[in-house]
Amino acid sequence: MDIAYIDQLSNNGGGCLNKASAISKILMTVCIIVSVILCENVTELAVIFAVLLLLIVVNKMPLGKILHIAAYPVFFSLLFALMRFSYSVEMGFVVLLKGANAAVAMILLMVTTPYPLIFSFLRLFLPGVVVDGLLFTYRTFFILLDKLQKALTVIKLRGGFRPFNIIFNVKNLAGVIGVLFIHAFDMSERMYNIYSLRGYEGRLVLESKWYGLKKWDCIPLGIGIIILALVVVL
Amino acid sequence: MNTIIKVKCLKHIYPDKTEVDICGLDFIVNKGDRVVILGPNGTGKTTLLSHILGILKPVDGQISVFGVNPFKEFKHIRKKIGVVFQNVDEQIIGPTVYDDIAFSLRNAGMSKELVRDKVYDIAKTLEIEDILGKIPHYLSGGQKKKVALAGALSMSPELLIMDEPFDGLDPKSKKEMIELINALNRDRGVTTIITTHDVNIVTYIADLIYIINKGRIVSSGDPEEIFKQSDVLKEANLEPPILIQLFDRLAKKGYNVNIPIDIDQAEEEIYRLINAQKCC
Amino acid sequence: MSHLHLVDGVLEPVWWVLGYAITLGILGIAVTKVRKVELAKKVPFIGVISALMLITMSIPLGFLPVHLNLTVLAGILAGPWLGFIGVFIVNLILALIGHGGITAVGLNTLIIGVEVFAGSFVYKLLVNRIKPVKASIISVVIALLLSTSLMLGMLAAVNANWEHALSHGDGHTSILHEGEPLEIGFFALSGWSAFVVILLSGIMLEALVTALVVRFFMKVRPEMVI
């Protein structure tokens, strides 16, 4: 899972997009996704893709790694593209580029913006429980992932993983998953106790300033608006 | 003396129906004490702490924390207690170190400025100002313990409870943690209750030790008294600190030594012994 | 494994807007249901359930391009409402890291949400009549077949819609009339059969793992699954 890596980049990156406020980057992402939805022209989509790649490079983000993260959604776009390829190659590429653009735009937002800021912004649209659930998910994800990775390593070291015998792997895995679930449920109980001791009463109070514009915001805002305007006009 | 905790013969039943009687001697903590609960793993140390914190509901027995029943008056006592659990990963909720230390302060509805001042104050005391912006899962074990401690201290608690705080720490971090705990007790008057199975640390952090074995509180006293009771220690699968074992052997061989409880006393004893040998 | 990670820009806006509207509606009901029973205590539990789903998705299974979801298991353990909130959180996080379009979160949640609802419902119905392990297998198969049909139905509708637009010379897609349809029928066919094989093996795998985990719970914590 790439979440840990994305988190690392968003907190430690020093590029121009990292310096901009969350709201401007969210707006840029929205503009790009709306453009992607509206646009049916393969050249325009390719230009948007090029701009995104350029942004990654200018922002000193690891291009290879980000494209690797984007490869998975692009693979799924390919399935949809296959249906369209039967009509025209161009139409296939349109679908492929749409998927790729949206995915890269989203990943670009995530690698340049720490997640608490994005979740705080989501508080505007989602019930508080869901946003708190998001934050808890994020926190427990890393704890449980660590446990799972250790358990999987132990399984491999003890000869419990065979690359071509899926039934064999699944049997061993089920044990690990069972233990992980029980550990996780007990953990949720303990976490609730600890947070209650620390004053938690059903709402996580975070001070995350996703708004408030800075001079760096003209870059994402400008790019987002220009892309959207060009797609609409052309 | 101002007693803040009194526990008498607690009975607890776990979800898997295992029954534990934390009985034997009464567990009493006075204001300003540095208390250590010493015992091997799985003997009920954490269960006792959970009852004191009001997390568990006892089936039977008496418990009073700051004069009230902790389970019934959870909200009342939680403001006075700071706690650091064994697995600090589960304790840290904030997306950044700053947010985590600020968690209780914000829950208490403090203003942004006050929160910031308090966070920086604690971070300075624990020397973690440089990691305030970091995300918890990239911190080292020692740093995580400090962050959890900072979170626990944010509300200026009267009582600090730490469950196995030295587990998994390297020697340097252990030493730092000992100094921190003692400084909190000395400078801020915080009462401390610490569980551990590490006898070599105990003398540095305890005025009063309770030995707990198989759910029973089997002995209590200051470090000197406790480490003389080798039978009780052996029974609980514990050994006296290595220093005490060494001087005990010397005494048995006929040397005229007092048993030291820490390295400073041991140093003095050795000088005394050498000087005594020199002069005759 | 019955969801397709729908990507942005493929669906007509009316579909994904509708998806979001229904999902948020159900989410609203779920939140009210949860609120009744100790909300504060449930939030860490929701976090754990969602994290577990996310994590089981990342377990490597060998050569098959499928991953576990354990949504039915989540439904059995957490109940349909908490499970649904969990599924939404999982889809949102996946969309935020580019796995599936952000516009498709509503639809993806609905499709996988069906697994949670159907799974926990069927399991509850069966668990007192037959052994929990068997009940879990049947629940997984029914739930996943339902969600898969929903997904395929939706894809068919979306595709029909798209082809309809095409044949009427819709402005956006008129470009297609310029070229002859390409002859890749065979490829498309083998693509679909591969897809069906993957789907079926995904369902079998999910049923197997769920059953094994339920069997494990029966040994150590039977109260969790009964």
Side-chain angles (χ1 to χ4, degrees), chain B residues 263-275:
Chain B
I263 201 151
D264 296 330
Q265 282 186 20
E267 190 184 3
E268 269 175 39
E269 275 302 303
I270 290 170
Y271 281 139
R272 200 179 55 76
L273 209 61
I274 295 171
N275 289 334

Side-chain angles (χ1 to χ4, degrees), chain A residues 206-227:
Chain A
L206 292 177
E207 183 187 294
S208 302
K209 207 162 176 270
W210 52 267
Y211 43 85
L213 294 177
K214 310 173 201 165
K215 68 171 180 184
W216 294 102
D217 290 328
C218 41
I219 301 170
L221 281 177
I223 291 171
I225 293 167
I226 291 170
I227 288 178

Side-chain angles (χ1 to χ4, degrees), chain A residues 9 12-19 59-61:
Chain A
L9 285 178
N12 297 316
C16 52
L17 281 180
N18 292 70
K19 289 179 190 144
N59 210 48
K60 295 177 207 137
M61 288 284 161

Side-chain angles (χ1 to χ4, degrees), chain A residues 4 7-8 11 115-116 139 142-143 187 190-191 193-201 204-205 207, chain B residues 53 55 74-75 78 83 85 89-93 95 100 103-104 106-107 112 135-138 151:
Chain A
D7 210 14
Q8 163 83 345
N11 275 280
Y115 69 90
R139 190 69 201 108
F142 290 105
I143 300 173
M187 188 176 89
R190 284 197 299 273
M191 287 171 110
N193 287 329
I194 301 166
Y195 300 147
S196 304
L197 276 165
R198 298 185 66 190
Y200 168 71
E201 281 173 2
L204 293 175
V205 194
E207 183 187 294
Chain B
L53 292 168
I55 293 171
F74 181 71
K75 278 192 184 171
R78 78 172 180 200
V83 58
F85 278 98
D89 256 321
E90 294 171 3
Q91 172 158 8
I92 299 172
I93 175 69
D100 192 74
F103 184 75
S104 301
R106 288 177 185 154
N107 282 327
K112 211 189 255 182
I135 27 181
H137 53 263
Y138 292 113

Side-chain angles (χ1 to χ4, degrees), chain B residues 45-115:
Chain B
K45 298 192 295 272
T46 307
T47 310
L48 176 61
L49 289 190
S50 303
H51 279 287
I52 293 171
L53 292 168
I55 293 171
L56 296 177
K57 188 182 179 185
V59 182
D60 201 10
Q62 288 171 18
I63 181 163
S64 145
V65 178
F66 291 110
V68 296
N69 179 324
F71 187 80
K72 284 186 188 151
E73 311 220 17
F74 181 71
K75 278 192 184 171
H76 171 77
I77 62 148
R78 78 172 180 200
K79 291 186 183 123
K80 299 184 176 180
I81 305 179
V83 58
V84 177
F85 278 98
Q86 192 170 5
N87 190 344
V88 284
D89 256 321
E90 294 171 3
Q91 172 158 8
I92 299 172
I93 175 69
T96 64
V97 172
Y98 181 96
D99 282 307
D100 192 74
I101 303 174
F103 184 75
S104 301
L105 305 169
R106 288 177 185 154
N107 282 327
M110 288 184 194
S111 75
K112 211 189 255 182
E113 291 70 30
L114 192 57
V115 169

